Amino acid sequence: MYIRKTKVVCTIGPASSPPEIMRALILGGMNVARINFSHGTQEEHLTRVTDLKKLRSELDKPVALLADTKGPEIRIKTFKEGSVKLDAGQSFTITTKEVEGTDKIVSVSYNDFPKVVKKGARIMIDDGLIELRAEAVNDTDVMCNVVNGGFLSDRKSINLPGTKTNMPYMDESDKIDIKFAYDNDFDYIALSFVRSPDDVITTVLELVASRLPKYMKLDVLQDIQVLTPMRKSSLGVTSLNAALQQRLNPPGKGKKEREFRSALFREGDKVMQIKNNYDISWYSYDARGRRTDEGEGVFNGDCGLVKSIDEQNETVRVLFDDNRTVDYDFSQLEELDLAYAVTIHKSQGSEYRVVVIPVHSGPPMLLSRNLLYTAVTRARQLAVLVGVPETLYRMVDNNREVNRCTALERRIKKLFDGDMEE
């Protein structure tokens, strides 16, 4: 039996928004309907979304909705005649000065354009139909050679592959569009122009600390979980936990702390048990502080909050999600780790209302389709991927499975053969 593994993403715009066209797209295999917020009004988008929801319900097809935010834009300005023809090999200048556009020069909307574009940089205009290469740069002008020519008209967009800009990756209009996406039950949000690990961390912090709790009425610690493929690197568990701890639970007057090896635990922190402990005692209390139950055992992956740190008795009290309270000796803190961010591997078997997943560079073994699938399916309501599309594409393409080297099979056979001989 043939099983299609490729997912089809279709942009729903003016040409594809008539209901009969959307019906044909759904029946033809569309898996995700992309709404591009760079164009159109929210009223137009709402009509398309409403029609799509009716069609997918009628056809009983699970078509996801993806909101693609506008992000920062760099555009050329206007030409004297409305358009020009550029030939491969000719010279063409992009300037921050106000000029009437010709086939020799045109103005640009981004005032720092000459500051960020370096000699040799690629400049793509009109979704890559026109390609330029920077040959020289001064305070106001970028002098280019035309690599791929064609007709160029007013206000076309510019992309700068491999060039980092100093533009904010999200503005107020993007926030309004994200609110629209949440109100209308979109499944995915694509945020343009996130490039460096610092951009990713900044976006993750804003999502977890303010944007998601505000728009979805979430409890920051209970409802949102950051999942990352790795422990090390700037986007690993250690770095993300430090950044999230500082943002979500900063030091405060009267807030006690305890440092253990490389970890710093603070009252109010979200923590995880990272090894099975079958002997540690736990207790449950009612609202009046009366003990109602007790038992033994806390297990790998259990999450809770640090309720208090007692320096005199050298204990840390943790209230776990299932209302069990455990008092850890300071010597037992090796069993705990901060849990604002956890590895995808550690999240297996758990579910969260919302997951946020940084997607950037890393070892190929940790950037796999299986790991991505595991992370996305931990979310009950919403999964947000933050990073660069190229890494996401590599993860989807990387279907390599790592063989586990174990002697378990041989040992079981040996035991079984021994039983048979007896």
Side-chain angles (χ1 to χ4, degrees):
M1 182 178 67
Y2 173 74
I3 300 176
R4 177 168 63 88
K5 295 183 179 180
T6 302
K7 303 303 180 184
V8 180
V9 181
C10 300
T11 298
I12 305 301
S16 55
S17 60
E20 63 272 16
I21 302 296
M22 285 197 286
R23 176 187 292 272
L25 290 172
I26 294 173
L27 293 175
M30 176 173 67
N31 302 108
V32 180
R34 170 181 174 263
I35 305 297
N36 184 5
F37 285 90
S38 295
H39 307 286
T41 65
Q42 288 200 349
E43 290 74 17
E44 293 170 338
H45 297 323
L46 181 59
T47 299
R48 292 163 186 158
V49 169
T50 302
D51 289 343
L52 181 79
K53 288 180 178 179
K54 289 179 181 177
L55 285 167
R56 72 182 182 186
S57 177
E58 175 189 329
L59 298 171
D60 194 26
K61 297 287 186 180
V63 180
L65 278 166
L66 183 148
D68 195 348
T69 59
K70 175 174 66 68
E73 288 188 321
I74 305 174
R75 292 186 179 272
I76 61 171
K77 295 188 179 180
T78 59
F79 295 97
K80 182 178 180 180
E81 303 296 334
S83 67
V84 298
K85 184 177 183 296
L86 301 182
D87 296 317
Q90 78 166 77
S91 298
F92 187 71
T93 298
I94 299 176
T95 181
T96 56
K97 297 180 292 188
E98 290 296 331
V99 300
E100 277 193 327
T102 68
D103 62 352
K104 304 296 183 187
I105 191 169
V106 72
S107 299
V108 68
S109 62
Y110 179 34
N111 288 332
D112 285 344
F113 193 79
K115 294 180 181 179
V116 301
V117 175
K118 308 300 181 185
K119 182 179 178 179
R122 297 170 66 205
I123 301 170
M124 314 298 285
I125 307 179
D126 195 9
D127 295 329
L129 296 178
I130 305 290
E131 180 178 354
L132 313 177
R133 188 170 300 278
E135 298 293 334
V137 180
N138 61 31
D139 290 343
T140 58
D141 300 341
V142 177
M143 285 68 77
C144 307
N145 178 262
V146 178
V147 178
N148 293 318
F151 287 95
L152 183 59
S153 56
D154 296 342
R155 299 187 178 88
K156 294 302 182 183
S157 63
I158 294 179
N159 288 311
L160 301 170
T163 296
K164 184 175 180 179
T165 71
N166 54 11
M167 301 176 71
Y169 55 83
M170 185 177 66
D171 59 21
E172 287 304 316
S173 67
D174 292 320
K175 295 178 182 179
I176 292 171
D177 291 337
I178 291 170
K179 177 67 163 56
F180 174 89
Y182 168 69
D183 290 340
N184 290 281
D185 300 318
F186 277 65
D187 302 283
Y188 301 99
I189 297 173
L191 184 65
S192 300
F193 282 79
V194 174
R195 288 193 178 92
S196 70
D198 288 342
D199 290 339
V200 176
I201 291 174
T202 300
T203 305
V204 168
L205 292 176
E206 290 184 359
L207 282 166
V208 173
S210 57
R211 286 159 55 189
L212 289 171
K214 177 182 176 182
Y215 295 139
M216 297 182 67
K217 305 297 187 282
L218 300 174
D219 183 296
V220 174
L221 299 181
Q222 297 293 333
D223 296 330
I224 305 173
Q225 185 61 58
V226 177
L227 302 179
T228 182
M230 60 205 83
R231 288 199 61 84
K232 298 180 180 179
S233 87
S234 58
L235 292 174
V237 165
T238 302
S239 295
L240 284 171
N241 269 323
L244 287 162
Q245 181 190 49
Q246 183 63 28
R247 182 68 176 268
L248 301 177
N249 187 33
K253 186 177 180 180
K255 192 182 290 186
K256 296 178 182 176
E257 299 177 345
R258 178 66 186 182
E259 192 170 350
F260 183 82
R261 296 178 181 170
S262 60
L264 175 67
F265 297 103
R266 183 177 295 137
E267 290 177 340
D269 274 338
K270 181 178 181 178
V271 294
M272 173 185 281
Q273 176 80 13
I274 58 174
K275 61 171 68 175
N276 292 328
N277 186 332
Y278 300 97
D279 301 319
I280 195 167
S281 298
W282 58 262
Y283 308 95
S284 294
Y285 298 90
D286 62 17
R288 297 184 178 180
R290 297 174 299 190
R291 186 177 297 181
T292 58
D293 196 7
E294 60 184 72
E296 293 180 341
V298 182
F299 306 105
N300 185 13
D302 289 351
C303 288
L305 298 177
V306 175
K307 302 303 290 184
S308 63
I309 297 176
D310 187 337
E311 292 285 352
Q312 183 174 352
N313 293 310
E314 297 189 344
T315 59
V316 173
R317 173 164 290 189
V318 176
L319 175 63
F320 285 94
D321 293 343
D322 54 5
N323 203 36
R324 292 175 300 157
T325 297
V326 178
D327 289 324
Y328 290 84
D329 292 334
F330 283 175
S331 62
Q332 294 175 303
L333 292 181
E334 64 179 4
E335 299 183 13
L336 292 176
D337 201 356
L338 294 176
Y340 300 101
V342 301
T343 62
I344 297 171
H345 175 74
K346 276 287 186 186
S347 74
Q348 293 184 83
S350 301
E351 281 190 340
Y352 313 95
R353 187 173 170 189
V354 174
V355 299
V356 177
I357 309 162
V359 180
H360 208 271
S361 56
M365 189 173 71
L366 296 178
L367 299 178
S368 68
R369 183 190 302 176
N370 288 342
L371 211 62
L372 178 64
Y373 174 83
T374 299
V376 170
T377 53
R378 296 311 92 200
R380 290 197 302 268
Q381 186 173 351
L382 177 68
V384 183
L385 280 67
V386 183
V388 292
E390 292 79 10
T391 300
L392 179 60
Y393 302 152
R394 287 201 299 270
M395 293 183 78
V396 172
D397 290 339
N398 182 8
N399 199 27
R400 183 180 64 182
E401 295 186 5
V402 178
N403 292 326
R404 294 179 180 270
C405 299
T406 173
L408 181 60
E409 180 181 1
R410 178 169 53 82
R411 294 171 66 182
I412 291 175
K413 285 182 177 179
K414 185 177 179 181
L415 288 172
F416 182 75
D417 292 341
D419 290 342
M420 291 294 289
E421 291 174 2
E422 292 177 4

